[in-house]
Amino acid sequence: MAAFSKMVSVGMMFTAVALSVVILLGVSATAAQDNTEAKAQPESVQHFIGLLANPDVQAWLLEQQKSATPAKTETEPAQPALGDRVSFADVTTKFRSHVADLLAAAHSLPSETFRAGALLERDIRTNGGTRPVFLVAAFVAAGLGAQWLFRRASAGWRARMATASFATVREKLIAIAARLLWAACYVLSFGLGSIGFFLLFEWPTLIREVVVAYLFAIVVFRLATALLDVVLAPVRENENQFRLVPVSNETAQFWAKRLGYAIGWYAFGSVTIRLLSTLGFSDATRQLVAYSLGLVLFAIGIEAVWRAPREAPAGRAGLRLRKVLWTAYLVGVWLLWVIGAIKLFWIAVVCAALPAAIALTRASVSNILRAPGAEDSQEKGTVLSVIIERGIRAALIVGAIVFLANVLGVRLTEMTMQDSPALRLGRGLLSAGIILLVVDLAWNIVKVLIDHKIGDSQEAFEIGSEQERRRSRIRTLLPILRNLLMILFAAVAVMMALSSLGIEIGPLIAGAGVVGVAIGFGAQTVVKDIISGMFYLLDDAFRVGEYIQSGSYKGTVEAFSLRSVKLRHHRGPIYIVPFSELGAVQNMSRDWSVVKFFLSVAHDSDVPQVKSITKAVGKALREDPEFNPLIIENLKMKGVEEINDYGIKLSFGMTMKPTSLQSAIRRRAYAMIREAFNKNGIKIAVPTVQVSGGKDEDSVAAAQKTLATQKAALMPAPT
């Protein structure tokens, strides 16, 4: 990576001085033409060239240019203020004038280049004929040498960073800080070895400005690449090295390279345009050069859009549409810049960059604060992550507002001292935005605290214990509290935002109260449901996870809303029951419950033996590890309930903790009792019919008598 960075740095250095080479070639051509054709030139021309080489004349020309610039701006028409109406004809006229200036600048560029070359030729001759391009190359080499020395000296530092652990958030932050410090020192060594070493010597004014400017551009490029190495880690020294932005290796390498080139080219273009102003180029010429340099940034953006690797799988048609839209956006932004619509240009740039910066910040903060091995889908936010993420987002939004205000010519400090409908609206919008940011931060902190409390209550405790009752109550009340707080925060935010916009909220609140009363009369059932639900919760009648029965509704409580409860029947169906229809609630999941059932044995059975058998079965059932935690009192025979025609009816019972396994335990008890009865000769009583008779004549007579009795019963009574 170091060798690659050196190669890129050298390449960017030569690219950065490309325009200066053109200028210097013009200077060289001018000097050569002066030397070879000096005898053929008139004396007046030679005298003019000599005057241009005079330092006093050059200084006077520069002063005249600087003093002429404000005078020119005074005669220009004032820029329209924000909110002023601009006709289409004015825009067309301005665009036509802008294009005409660019065409004129294209024709005057060679002459201005030769004039700038004449200004530089004097400093070059004073310096002994050394060209700035060679000075830049020499001092870049000196900077690379200083970087090499620093890299050798910091070998132990780099080794410790390569073996650093990233198990905790603290270790991640320390590792990031160490890498940032090393990158800053690495770039600082290059700056001291190049710019610092250059400034130790005395140089002519223009040469010093040219060389320092391009060395500064190279330092900016190397600083950008160093920061991208820290943030994206495109080339990892080991597999455990932490990457601040959670992307793949391919994506990190791709964007580190493109962003580094884009920042380096932007730095080169900025210093070039500034140097053109120093060398006396006109504003139109500098704009033409800037547009030409901007084509390179435009090409980098288009290439990045169409060749960027995909992080998530997407449809081919959707991916192509996204690339087309981004290409159209880049073309539109570049055209806005070329035609001179700078305000619209910066608005378009901020509107695209701000959401991307917010999303990148959220992903980076989440990646830093996430526990090792945790998946994104299972990740829960913390108060610290919310504060950092929302704070950075608020800072980005405020920074974008301040930047756009500066671009649009809106002085935020003077908005409070002036009064107009537009300024009042602007102040209201800013205040509303700040209120919404503060309320959003407060709501997210409260939401994270409630979610963590609910998440902590997922752990189940012993059934019937105080911890289990507290857990179920938390799971019942906190979701309702979260919904109520969300409504409260939203209402407060809307009211405060409307008040900041200058809207009187007193009549609005009064009107909302009247409307609320009207809605209450028209929706009495809904109001009754909500109030009934509040009292059910205050009485702690039931909680999430408990099995209740109310009238024809029964099931496990799954969730609440403001007006209803969801009951899951044990066979699967779910009931959504309004609170006002519940009435008396039978809670089958509190404290303890008694499982009771009946069995009938034959008349000749030994009841004390049955009682001892039942006691043994209860003891064996209690020793089962699956049922032991659930049984409070062992299974036992309660006694004889009744003696009927076919057997003795006995009652059995056991006390258990409220659980959904009651049916399973009862079925297991039935099976064990039947098996024990069979082993001990205890017979289960069953209904039997015994028919006995004598002679056939008696049977026939009895049957005839029975038929006669039935016929008499069926005949109607006499009137």
Side-chain angles (χ1 to χ4, degrees):
M1 182 61 188
F4 175 75
S5 299
K6 292 179 180 179
M7 293 173 60
V8 173
S9 301
V10 175
M12 289 298 295
M13 180 270 296
F14 284 111
T15 304
V17 298
L19 188 60
S20 61
V21 170
V22 174
I23 296 174
L24 296 180
L25 288 176
V27 173
S28 302
T30 304
Q33 186 177 4
D34 290 342
N35 294 331
T36 56
E37 299 182 3
K39 296 181 180 180
Q41 291 177 348
E43 184 179 356
S44 59
V45 174
Q46 296 180 10
H47 180 66
F48 176 72
I49 295 175
L51 289 176
L52 287 178
N54 192 330
D56 296 334
V57 174
Q58 293 177 359
W60 182 82
L61 289 175
L62 291 176
E63 291 295 331
Q64 291 297 319
Q65 180 189 4
K66 294 180 180 179
S67 61
T69 302
K72 180 179 179 181
T73 56
E74 292 178 0
T75 59
E76 293 178 350
Q79 294 291 332
L82 184 64
D84 294 346
R85 294 183 177 179
V86 181
S87 65
F88 182 75
D90 294 337
V91 175
T92 305
T93 303
K94 183 179 178 181
F95 175 69
R96 185 183 303 169
S97 175
H98 183 67
V99 173
D101 292 341
L102 293 179
L103 293 176
H107 289 89
S108 62
L109 179 61
S111 60
E112 293 186 13
T113 301
F114 279 101
R115 185 179 62 186
L119 292 176
L120 277 175
E121 183 62 24
R122 186 261 309 171
D123 283 0
I124 293 175
R125 290 175 180 175
T126 303
N127 194 40
T130 304
R131 304 294 177 185
V133 63
F134 298 111
L135 292 176
V136 172
F139 287 101
V140 165
L144 293 176
Q147 272 191 336
W148 180 80
L149 292 176
F150 173 77
R151 190 176 181 85
R152 289 289 300 272
S154 62
W157 187 356
R158 290 187 293 109
R160 287 191 297 271
M161 289 191 300
T163 58
S165 175
F166 305 97
T168 63
V169 176
R170 181 174 178 272
E171 291 176 347
K172 292 179 183 178
L173 294 176
I174 292 176
I176 293 173
R179 287 163 58 185
L180 284 173
L181 181 60
W182 187 89
C185 294
Y186 188 65
V187 177
L188 180 62
S189 63
F190 176 83
L192 293 177
S194 56
I195 299 178
F197 188 55
F198 174 79
L199 293 178
L200 291 177
F201 303 95
E202 291 292 335
W203 303 97
T205 304
L206 290 179
I207 291 180
R208 184 174 64 251
E209 290 189 12
V210 171
V211 175
V212 170
Y214 285 114
L215 288 178
F216 177 77
I218 297 173
V219 170
V220 170
F221 166 69
R222 295 195 64 82
L223 179 62
T225 55
L227 293 178
L228 289 172
D229 287 343
V230 174
V231 173
L232 294 175
V235 179
R236 297 190 178 190
E237 298 180 3
N238 58 74
E239 291 298 327
N240 296 325
Q241 186 173 347
F242 178 70
R243 177 175 289 146
L244 183 59
V245 181
V247 294
S248 63
N249 292 332
E250 182 184 4
T251 302
Q253 294 173 6
F254 180 87
W255 287 110
K257 183 182 296 184
R258 269 70 178 179
L259 291 176
Y261 289 164
I263 294 174
W265 187 262
Y266 180 80
F268 156 69
S270 298
V271 299
T272 299
I273 300 304
R274 184 178 294 273
L275 286 175
L276 292 181
S277 176
T278 303
L279 293 173
F281 283 78
S282 64
D283 292 341
T285 304
R286 289 189 292 113
Q287 285 183 348
L288 180 62
V289 176
Y291 296 153
S292 302
L293 296 176
L295 286 173
V296 178
L297 291 178
F298 176 75
I300 293 175
I302 295 296
E303 188 267 346
V305 166
W306 286 93
R307 297 187 60 186
R310 292 182 295 175
E311 280 294 311
R316 191 176 187 87
L319 181 62
R320 187 174 184 84
L321 177 61
R322 192 182 311 163
K323 292 180 178 179
V324 170
L325 292 177
W326 273 110
T327 303
Y329 168 79
L330 292 176
V331 171
V333 168
W334 188 80
L335 289 177
L336 288 175
W337 181 44
V338 170
I339 65 176
I342 302 301
K343 295 180 179 179
L344 292 177
F345 167 80
W346 285 117
I347 290 175
V349 170
V350 170
C351 289
L354 184 59
I358 292 174
L360 186 64
T361 299
R362 181 170 58 251
S364 301
V365 171
S366 175
N367 188 35
I368 292 175
L369 301 181
R370 185 174 61 242
E375 298 294 335
D376 292 340
S377 59
Q378 301 176 351
E379 176 191 357
K380 294 186 296 184
T382 61
V383 176
L384 179 62
S385 66
V386 169
I387 293 176
I388 294 176
E389 177 190 335
R390 302 290 169 168
I392 295 177
R393 187 179 72 168
L396 291 174
I397 294 175
V398 172
I401 292 174
V402 173
F403 177 77
L404 288 179
N406 186 30
V407 170
L408 299 177
V410 178
R411 298 182 179 180
L412 299 177
T413 56
E414 297 182 0
M415 291 181 64
T416 57
M417 297 182 293
Q418 300 178 1
D419 193 15
S420 67
L423 291 178
R424 285 197 299 269
L425 180 60
R427 285 197 300 267
L429 290 175
L430 289 176
S431 301
I434 294 174
I435 290 170
L436 292 177
L437 288 175
V438 173
V439 172
D440 176 71
L441 176 62
W443 158 244
N444 278 276
I445 292 176
V446 172
K447 180 176 177 294
V448 165
L449 291 175
I450 293 177
D451 289 343
H452 272 276
K453 195 67 177 178
I454 295 175
D456 294 340
S457 65
Q458 296 296 328
E459 181 183 358
F461 295 94
E462 184 181 358
I463 297 176
S465 63
E466 182 63 29
Q467 293 88 346
E468 178 63 20
R469 288 195 292 268
R470 183 180 179 185
R471 181 186 77 93
S472 61
R473 188 159 179 80
I474 287 175
R475 292 179 59 198
T476 300
L477 296 179
L478 285 184
I480 298 176
L481 177 63
R482 181 178 57 191
N483 295 335
L484 292 176
L485 288 177
M486 180 185 66
I487 296 174
L488 177 63
F489 274 106
V492 170
V494 170
M495 291 298 176
M496 294 180 67
L498 292 177
S499 177
S500 65
L501 290 174
I503 300 174
E504 293 292 337
I505 62 174
L508 184 62
I509 294 175
V514 174
V515 173
V517 172
I519 293 175
F521 279 112
Q524 296 184 30
T525 304
V526 177
V527 176
K528 183 179 179 182
D529 292 335
I530 295 174
I531 295 177
S532 299
M534 293 175 58
F535 282 105
Y536 276 121
L537 295 177
L538 289 176
D539 293 338
D540 195 19
F542 44 81
R543 305 165 187 164
V544 173
E546 293 183 340
Y547 193 92
I548 66 173
Q549 181 174 355
S550 176
S552 59
Y553 306 109
K554 61 181 177 180
T556 303
V557 179
E558 283 198 346
F560 292 95
S561 67
L562 290 177
R563 61 173 296 271
S564 63
V565 59
K566 294 182 179 180
L567 301 179
R568 175 72 66 176
H569 194 270
H570 57 272
R571 292 192 181 93
I574 186 169
Y575 299 109
I576 301 177
V577 187
F579 286 118
S580 61
E581 296 184 10
L582 282 178
V585 175
Q586 181 181 2
N587 195 323
M588 302 179 182
S589 301
R590 291 288 175 90
D591 301 330
W592 50 268
S593 62
V594 176
V595 177
K596 191 174 182 180
F597 56 90
F598 300 94
L599 288 175
S600 295
V601 297
H603 287 105
D604 58 351
S605 300
D606 187 356
V607 175
Q609 184 183 11
V610 172
K611 187 173 184 178
S612 63
I613 291 173
T614 304
K615 185 177 180 180
V617 169
K619 185 178 179 181
L621 195 64
R622 182 70 174 267
E623 292 175 354
D624 191 325
E626 181 182 0
F627 301 139
N628 179 267
L630 307 175
I631 299 176
I632 298 176
E633 292 184 6
N634 288 352
L635 175 67
K636 60 184 178 180
M637 190 188 78
K638 301 292 185 179
V640 178
E641 288 291 326
E642 64 175 338
I643 299 176
N644 49 37
D645 295 337
Y646 55 86
I648 303 173
K649 185 177 181 181
L650 304 176
S651 65
F652 300 83
M654 59 188 304
T655 304
M656 300 180 56
K657 295 179 181 179
T659 175
S660 60
L661 296 177
Q662 291 182 1
S663 299
I665 297 176
R666 184 169 56 249
R667 290 191 294 269
R668 182 68 175 273
Y670 276 138
M672 295 176 69
I673 289 173
R674 181 180 180 279
E675 184 179 356
F677 282 1
N678 290 335
K679 288 182 179 180
N680 292 274
I682 305 297
K683 294 182 179 181
I684 302 295
V686 294
T688 58
V689 177
Q690 184 176 358
V691 180
S692 63
K695 299 178 180 179
D696 294 339
E697 293 82 0
D698 296 337
S699 300
V700 173
Q704 290 177 352
K705 185 178 180 179
T706 302
L707 289 174
T709 303
Q710 292 178 353
K711 288 180 180 180
L714 294 174
M715 290 182 64
T719 58

